[in-house]
Amino acid sequence: MDNFLIYLLKVAAGSAFFITIYLLLFRNETFYIRNRIVLLLSITIPVILPLLTYTVNVDVNPQPLPVADMSEFSDKVSSAIATTSAQQTTSTSFSLEVIVVWIYVTGVIFFIIRGLISLLSTYIIIRNGKVISDRFPKVLLSDKNHPSFSFFPYAVIPVSEYTKGNYSDILDHEFAHLRQGHTFDLLLSEMFIAFQWFNPFAWLMKRYMVLNHEYLADHVSLSKRSIKDYQYRLLNIAGKVKAVSLAHTFNSLIKNRIIMINKRPTQRKAIWKTLLVLPVILIAVYAFSEPVYREV
């Protein structure tokens, strides 16, 4: 039980370490594919590293044998008292560990159930919709009151938006999400949150992952239309209806997306910062993997 709690704390510390590096070095750059890889590594590496071990050799010098003296009896009494005290402390510590573990497991169960409910609600929308294009990415019409969204392999368009006829920008945006497999990143981040629900950096990681997905999809959409028209489109559709859980919705994170749309592309020479990922991973390996001491 002790080892399990230490493992959870190491994963939390590792995720905090990696997301901090991301925020300091990569967040405001337009290398979106690189940023996606860094964010995926920030989820997977902290989970794996505490399970790895490395060997540390320890030099052991021969110790002289203890010399018996008249105080041996008093030493035994002191040792017995210390042992009794240690047992009482261990008992109290064990009770606290059990309580902490139960709180953690309750949280995990809650967030797993929440995620399953979100998946079910998304599935119901897709189940009740009408497929109008069966080729990948599939296009589906829905008569429910929700924004356009994508969930692999479907791009879901409300009937109200479809009847207006002006939805090509929405489809391009949602198709980009589907072709790049963003749904799987989103599900991975949700699993990580269920496993690390007490860790605020896990929630922060999901936010920046979704935000980067939107940047990637906007980049594809903007290659086919003017920036000005696209921004007006985002502003006109923003906030009208509630977003769909566990899916990429067209009207999400509008302010951040408009700021990034108008941002100048990051200069190519800034790509050298990507090389810093390697020493960061090496530092994390040393800091969060488990040392195994071998006496020599």
Side-chain angles (χ1 to χ4, degrees):
M1 193 178 299
D2 241 355
N3 291 337
F4 179 66
L5 293 177
I6 291 172
Y7 171 75
L8 290 176
L9 293 176
K10 280 188 174 183
V11 173
S15 64
F17 175 70
F18 276 98
I19 193 62
T20 301
I21 296 298
Y22 175 81
L23 295 177
L24 292 175
L25 298 180
F26 307 126
R27 174 183 55 169
N28 294 320
E29 294 186 352
T30 59
F31 300 128
Y32 303 130
I33 296 176
R34 188 275 316 275
N35 289 358
R36 182 187 181 188
I37 294 171
V38 171
L39 286 167
L40 287 173
L41 290 176
S42 300
I43 287 179
T44 54
I45 291 180
V47 174
I48 296 171
L49 283 186
L51 302 175
L52 303 179
T53 61
Y54 63 92
T55 304
V56 178
N57 292 328
V58 179
D59 291 333
V60 179
N61 294 322
Q63 299 295 325
L65 293 174
V67 179
D69 55 28
M70 298 301 292
S71 61
E72 183 178 354
F73 179 74
S74 62
D75 288 344
K76 288 183 178 180
V77 172
S78 299
S79 176
I81 294 173
T83 301
T84 303
S85 177
Q87 288 175 346
Q88 292 174 349
T89 305
T90 302
S91 176
T92 305
S93 175
F94 180 76
S95 300
L96 289 174
E97 286 176 11
V98 171
I99 293 172
V100 169
V101 168
W102 273 109
I103 292 173
Y104 169 75
V105 171
T106 302
V108 170
I109 293 172
F110 170 79
F111 284 103
I112 288 176
I113 292 173
R114 191 194 71 155
L116 291 175
I117 291 173
S118 298
L119 277 175
L120 181 61
S121 63
T122 305
Y123 172 77
I124 290 172
I125 293 174
I126 293 173
R127 179 74 175 176
N128 294 331
K130 178 184 178 183
V131 177
I132 60 173
S133 176
D134 204 27
R135 295 172 54 189
F136 179 79
K138 298 181 180 181
V139 181
L140 184 141
L141 290 184
S142 170
D143 56 1
K144 305 291 184 181
N145 185 31
H146 57 75
S148 302
F149 70 90
S150 59
F151 189 87
F152 194 88
Y154 297 99
V156 182
I157 308 291
V159 173
S160 57
E161 199 70 41
Y162 179 76
T163 53
K164 295 177 184 177
N166 183 24
Y167 57 86
S168 62
D169 51 354
I170 295 176
L171 278 185
D172 287 339
H173 183 91
E174 303 306 337
F175 283 179
H177 282 309
L178 294 171
R179 290 191 177 107
Q180 296 177 24
H182 295 168
T183 300
F184 304 108
D185 297 3
L186 188 60
L187 292 176
L188 179 64
S189 66
E190 281 292 328
M191 289 171 59
F192 187 70
I193 284 177
F195 171 62
Q196 285 274 299
W197 58 266
F198 60 90
N199 178 10
F201 294 97
W203 297 87
L204 191 63
M205 204 173 292
K206 180 192 171 183
R207 172 181 169 78
Y208 281 103
M209 183 172 283
V210 172
L211 196 54
N212 191 64
H213 288 166
E214 297 302 331
Y215 296 159
L216 282 163
D218 287 339
H219 182 71
V220 172
S221 298
L222 288 170
S223 65
K224 302 178 182 179
R225 53 190 49 85
S226 74
I227 293 178
K228 184 177 179 180
D229 292 343
Y230 191 73
Q231 289 182 95
Y232 280 133
R233 176 71 155 165
L234 289 175
L235 291 171
N236 287 333
I237 205 170
K240 290 184 178 180
V241 281
K242 186 179 178 181
V244 178
S245 300
L246 284 183
H248 293 90
T249 53
F250 185 74
N251 67 334
S252 63
L253 304 167
I254 301 297
K255 180 181 177 181
N256 302 82
R257 289 163 63 186
I258 288 178
I259 291 173
M260 199 56 102
I261 285 171
N262 291 284
K263 184 179 177 63
R264 286 186 177 182
T266 305
Q267 295 182 2
R268 287 292 177 184
K269 62 182 181 181
I271 197 69
W272 68 267
K273 287 199 289 185
T274 307
L275 299 175
L276 295 175
V277 173
L278 295 177
V280 165
I281 292 175
L282 291 176
I283 293 170
V285 169
Y286 180 77
F288 301 111
S289 56
E290 186 70 22
V292 176
Y293 296 99
R294 185 178 65 179
E295 295 182 351
V296 179

